Amino acid sequence: MERGQAVDMNTLTHFLAVARTEHLSRAAQQLHVAQPSLSRSIARLEAELGTPLFDRGGRLRLNDTGHLFRGYVERALGELEAGRRAVAEVTGDGAGTVRLASETFMAFSGPLAAFKRQCPGVELELHQLPVAEMARCLRAKDTDLAIASQPIAADGLESVRLLDEEVGLALPLGHPLADRSSVTLEELAGLPFIATRPGHWQRRLLDRVFAGRGLTPRIVCEGDEAGAIAELISAGLGVGLVPVIALRTVSQVPMAFVSVDSPDCRRVLTLYWAKGGRLSTSARRLRDAIAGWDWETGGNGVG
């Protein structure tokens, strides 16, 4: 490829895979191409741009220029994919696919099932993502909608608040605090906590409310699945923070729920989408269905 020659979409797809993995062999496996061919594709792209996009001292790393270029490539390929899907929708080649991201899908079965009843021909793709990835995926059009349990501090997004709910303390039945109406953070300082991993909203909330009182939670187990955390709490291995909405999905797990005496011990559930981007008809319908759902009671508030 000579300087000034147009970069083809295949090369950009190759770059994006390598940029996201920072690993040639893994990117080659994802793309189903030979690694030497992928290496040549990246080298041609760097020659076309006139600058390296990766640091190659030891492990492959995206450099500052690569990070800058990655943002443009993600938006460009995202717009092309959005255009392809829009044409398919207009020409009637299918009702379309809607991609929804969230940190967890527990307690979301109600609005999603209601949407599928209204739009049975629409395919839902569900992606479990950390909140730090959601803004990038929305702007790059890798996902249409995202539900976050903590604020996304990023430009270029629009949002609607779904639920502001209490997060309380789940304890095993028979625990000395199980019969209390509320507990203080100071009373919880020495208790063993079953918690999610760092980055998850429940862990961030736990660390934040404790730090606000100059305390550090004693974490004895870290996990990813809220259902498993509830099971461990019920088995008597520790206590943990649980939002009120989750009590509907773990109601079959025997455990007690006590309020935490802290005004900050709450979760704000928010629906996000890219600002200024054209959502497909199916994505707009899902957005309206999620926004219109009665999250307080678990029913559809719009009929």
Side-chain angles (χ1 to χ4, degrees):
M1 183 184 298
E2 300 176 359
R3 287 290 299 273
Q5 183 177 341
V7 178
D8 63 82
M9 192 167 67
N10 192 53
T11 299
L12 295 179
T13 301
H14 286 183
F15 163 74
L16 196 54
V18 178
R20 288 174 172 174
T21 61
E22 293 186 319
H23 200 285
L24 278 170
S25 61
R26 281 203 295 267
Q29 289 174 357
Q30 290 178 8
L31 295 167
H32 304 291
V33 300
Q35 183 174 328
S37 175
L38 181 59
S39 297
R40 289 192 295 270
S41 182
I42 298 301
R44 287 195 299 269
L45 176 62
E46 290 177 321
E48 161 64 16
L49 295 175
T51 184
L53 299 171
F54 296 89
D55 292 329
R56 292 172 171 82
R59 181 180 172 183
L60 190 71
R61 295 283 189 183
L62 197 64
N63 62 26
D64 290 343
T65 305
H67 279 289
L68 174 66
F69 189 59
R70 172 182 170 173
Y72 285 96
V73 172
E74 285 182 327
R75 289 190 291 274
L77 294 183
E79 286 293 339
L80 286 171
E81 173 60 16
R84 185 195 65 77
R85 295 170 67 213
V87 169
E89 187 177 48
V90 169
T91 57
D93 288 343
T97 300
V98 185
R99 300 159 299 175
L100 173 67
S102 183
E103 295 158 286
T104 175
F105 289 99
M106 288 193 69
F108 292 176
S109 59
L112 296 181
F115 172 77
K116 284 295 289 184
R117 288 193 296 270
Q118 295 172 1
C119 305
V122 178
E123 181 177 311
L124 288 179
E125 285 185 11
L126 305 181
H127 301 271
Q128 192 166 4
L129 293 176
V131 71
E133 280 289 296
M134 289 183 185
R136 183 194 64 78
C137 287
L138 287 169
R139 288 196 298 255
K141 308 246 179 347
D142 286 341
T143 188
D144 301 301
L145 304 166
I147 300 177
S149 297
Q150 52 190 304
I152 298 179
D155 296 329
L157 301 180
E158 294 188 66
S159 65
V160 60
R161 180 177 292 190
L162 304 175
L163 178 67
D164 184 344
E165 66 170 340
E166 176 189 3
V167 177
L169 183 73
L171 313 98
L173 298 178
H175 191 279
L177 298 176
D179 294 330
R180 296 272 296 275
S181 59
S182 66
V183 292
T184 66
L185 289 169
E186 287 74 15
E187 291 176 294
L188 305 182
L191 297 185
F193 269 83
I194 311 294
T196 49
R197 297 187 189 278
H200 191 278
W201 76 266
Q202 283 172 299
R203 179 61 174 274
R204 289 192 178 198
L205 177 62
L206 177 65
D207 291 340
R208 186 172 70 249
V209 295
F210 268 72
R213 301 287 179 88
L215 302 170
T216 301
R218 184 164 73 89
I219 298 171
V220 298
C221 177
E222 291 181 341
D224 294 317
E225 295 297 329
I229 291 173
E231 292 282 356
L232 293 173
I233 293 171
S234 177
L237 299 181
V239 302
L241 295 183
V242 174
V244 170
I245 192 175
L247 296 180
R248 294 199 296 267
T249 60
V250 297
S251 58
Q252 70 277 15
V253 180
M255 61 183 184
F257 181 84
V258 178
S259 294
V260 177
D261 187 14
S262 169
D264 298 325
C265 201
R266 303 188 67 83
R267 169 171 80 153
V268 178
L269 200 64
T270 307
L271 175 65
Y272 291 91
W273 61 94
K275 187 175 184 179
R278 181 188 178 278
L279 286 175
S280 68
T281 300
S282 297
R284 291 198 302 273
R285 287 175 177 170
L286 179 59
R287 180 188 62 188
D288 295 344
I290 292 174
W293 184 257
D294 185 350
W295 291 90
E296 294 283 353
T297 63
N300 193 332
V302 294

